[in-house]
Amino acid sequence: MWETVTSAWNSALLTPLHEPVTLAIPAFVLFLAIEWFAARHLEDATFDPDGRSRPVRGGYERRDARASVSMGAVSILTTTFWKLLALIGYSAIWVYLAPWHLPADAWYTWVILILGVDALFYAYHRMAHRIRLIWATHQAHHSSEYFNFSTALRQKWNNSAEILMWIPLPLIGIPPWMVFIGFSVNLVYQFFVHTERIDTLPRPVEFVFNTPSHHRVHHGCDPKYLDRNYAGILIVWDRMFGTFQPETHRPTYGLTTPVGTYNIWKLQTREYGAIVRDWRRASSWRDKLGYVFGPPGWAPSGTREADQEVDRAVAVHGHEAQ
């Protein structure tokens, strides 16, 4: 097994040329610069019906962008730690439990990998929005009220839930190092859907793939857009499982309750603190477990506090869907 761990470590984690995210960094920087220039020189501010100004399309705010890039930089370190733990576990599963070993040089192994990673990402992503403990980690990615390429870098620091979600891949015989490559490919693709500079693509593309239009919906806190479009690469998962929503108006980005900070530690940990506070004040074990494993905004009465927050946000910002 340790030979498998060593081989996977050298193949996927230590050799930069084998890591798609590392290869994509120059492209990330280039597209960030192009989008920033376009927003600064080609767009004017827009206004809500109540006269409030909104960020220009694809606009940047220095503190917000700095926070996003900083969270992405830290996530590289934390993700390496989680990958090391996963590598040991995946190797043990692949060596001792997998009924067969799929060849890494076969085309069908790569097809199974990419589709498997994408399907499991959809499942994880949907859970992250419906289970508060996982949402506590994921909410940092949604905390920006801007939607641009820097938002794509606003990554979580704890991807332990994803690590667990990938277990079926080595279990069906996919080499452990390939699992990390597959997820990196998925991650690189998702960078490019975080933009307002692209409107809609040709209908066949919009029907099959996750696009900027689809992902803008996912980042919207408008009632019509909440908990929709979980896709990574293929939007067909959302179409199949009833979570698809087309873009009908420009979304209001961010969380239903604005975070009001650019402190990256607070952005990453705020929801964990809220869970602890709710746990302490809960009067029964049922309520304690509900605050941890129920959906975001769960309350003992059964009332979704999140829905109330959304209604307040809509009242303030004037973005009720027509």
Side-chain angles (χ1 to χ4, degrees):
M1 187 192 83
W2 289 109
E3 292 181 359
T4 302
V5 172
T6 302
S7 175
W9 179 260
N10 290 331
S11 297
L13 298 180
L14 282 185
T15 307
L17 292 179
H18 290 171
E19 172 53 58
V21 173
T22 303
L23 286 171
I25 288 177
F28 292 168
V29 174
L30 175 62
F31 276 82
L32 276 166
I34 292 173
E35 185 181 54
W36 173 84
F37 178 86
R40 184 176 179 85
H41 296 282
L42 302 179
E43 292 280 0
D44 295 321
T46 58
F47 296 87
D48 294 339
D50 60 1
R52 296 171 184 267
S53 64
R54 297 190 69 194
V56 299
R57 292 184 180 275
Y60 283 71
E61 201 280 337
R62 290 180 184 275
R63 294 169 298 175
D64 179 85
R66 187 184 303 118
S68 295
V69 173
S70 298
M71 282 194 277
V74 175
S75 75
I76 294 175
L77 301 176
T78 59
T79 299
T80 300
F81 167 76
W82 289 110
K83 282 184 176 180
L84 175 58
L85 294 182
L87 184 57
I88 297 172
Y90 293 169
S91 297
I93 292 171
W94 188 75
V95 170
Y96 298 117
L97 298 179
W100 51 72
H101 292 164
L102 296 175
D105 58 352
W107 65 268
Y108 58 82
T109 303
W110 288 95
V111 171
I112 294 171
L113 170 68
I114 298 302
L115 290 178
V117 165
D118 203 48
L120 292 172
F121 176 83
Y122 171 86
Y124 156 77
H125 201 180
R126 188 166 179 174
M127 289 169 57
H129 281 253
R130 304 302 299 163
I131 300 173
R132 191 183 182 192
L133 183 61
I134 308 178
W135 170 249
T137 253
H138 183 61
Q139 57 82 33
H141 180 64
H142 284 264
S143 59
S144 176
E145 295 181 24
Y146 293 78
F147 190 78
N148 52 49
F149 286 132
S150 75
T151 308
L153 305 179
R154 185 174 283 230
Q155 293 293 317
K156 57 186 174 294
W157 296 348
N158 175 8
N159 66 332
S160 56
E162 282 177 307
I163 295 298
L164 296 174
M165 188 61 69
W166 298 342
I167 287 176
L169 299 175
L171 189 60
I172 64 173
I174 294 178
W177 66 269
M178 288 183 65
V179 176
F180 300 114
I181 296 296
F183 181 71
S184 293
V185 169
N186 198 284
L187 199 63
V188 170
Y189 180 93
Q190 290 185 52
F191 172 86
F192 294 101
V193 299
H194 287 82
T195 183
E196 291 191 279
R197 303 306 308 175
I198 298 174
D199 189 9
T200 56
L201 298 173
R203 290 184 65 181
V205 177
E206 294 282 339
F207 186 81
V208 176
F209 293 97
N210 189 20
T211 65
S213 176
H214 298 329
H215 203 60
R216 286 193 291 269
V217 168
H218 180 69
H219 274 257
C221 64
D222 312 78
K224 188 175 183 177
Y225 289 165
L226 280 181
D227 298 333
R228 299 292 177 180
N229 298 3
Y230 298 112
I233 295 177
L234 300 175
I235 199 66
V236 292
W237 309 119
D238 288 286
R239 295 185 186 277
M240 289 171 58
F241 297 111
T243 54
F244 176 71
Q245 169 61 47
E247 184 180 33
T248 58
H249 64 279
R250 189 187 181 198
T252 302
Y253 301 111
L255 300 174
T256 56
T257 301
V259 294
T261 181
Y262 298 106
N263 182 297
I264 62 174
W265 175 255
K266 291 180 180 179
L267 289 170
Q268 291 284 342
T269 62
R270 55 186 292 278
E271 187 65 15
Y272 290 111
I275 290 175
V276 171
R277 290 191 296 272
D278 288 339
W279 171 278
R280 288 175 174 172
R281 76 182 186 186
S283 58
S284 69
W285 276 103
R286 177 187 176 279
D287 292 351
K288 289 179 183 293
L289 294 176
Y291 279 127
V292 177
F293 298 107
W298 181 89
S301 64
T303 301
R304 285 293 307 279
E305 292 175 354
D307 289 345
Q308 297 170 4
E309 292 172 355
V310 171
D311 292 340
R312 288 196 293 271
V314 170
V316 170
H317 297 293
H319 288 288
E320 183 107 49
Q322 300 300 319

